[in-house]
Amino acid sequence: MEQYEYRVCQAQHSRVTFVNGQWAGEVSRADADAPQALSSCPEVWDYLNEVGAEGWSLVASTTRIETAEQVVDVLYLRKRC
């Protein structure tokens, strides 16, 4: 039986902001204003290319609309253990 490891990523404004609940930006959200912290997060296509090379595959995605200004894409990835 095959076993998998999973990642759940949140993306906002075409940037991966959280991976399994952990901030994905290089700049701490506490140390910077929101636009600066967001711009330190990887762009979705760069992130997917990087982790794809590590064996991760995108298996599903959804979009969650929280407010008119806040749309969150949720990406589900897996790789064989």
Side-chain angles (χ1 to χ4, degrees), residues 4-11 16 18 20 44 47-48 51 56-64 72-79:
Y4 294 94
E5 186 177 347
Y6 293 90
R7 281 188 182 176
V8 178
C9 305
Q10 293 181 19
V16 175
F18 290 90
N20 289 347
V44 171
Y47 180 81
L48 291 175
V51 299
W56 291 96
S57 298
L58 178 66
V59 293
S61 68
T62 61
T63 299
R64 192 172 69 221
V72 177
D73 294 314
V74 182
L75 312 173
Y76 300 91
L77 295 90
R78 75 175 185 186
K79 81 172 183 178

Side-chain angles (χ1 to χ4, degrees), residues 13-81:
H13 303 285
S14 299
R15 294 191 178 271
V16 175
T17 53
F18 290 90
V19 177
N20 289 347
Q22 299 294 313
W23 178 248
E26 294 179 10
V27 173
S28 169
R29 294 182 311 154
D31 296 337
D33 62 9
Q36 182 183 15
L38 180 63
S39 68
S40 77
C41 295
E43 295 198 40
V44 171
W45 45 87
D46 290 336
Y47 180 81
L48 291 175
N49 280 325
E50 180 181 325
V51 299
E54 299 170 7
W56 291 96
S57 298
L58 178 66
V59 293
S61 68
T62 61
T63 299
R64 192 172 69 221
I65 300 173
E66 302 201 355
T67 66
E69 294 83 32
Q70 187 173 12
V71 176
V72 177
D73 294 314
V74 182
L75 312 173
Y76 300 91
L77 295 90
R78 75 175 185 186
K79 81 172 183 178
R80 288 190 179 119
C81 293

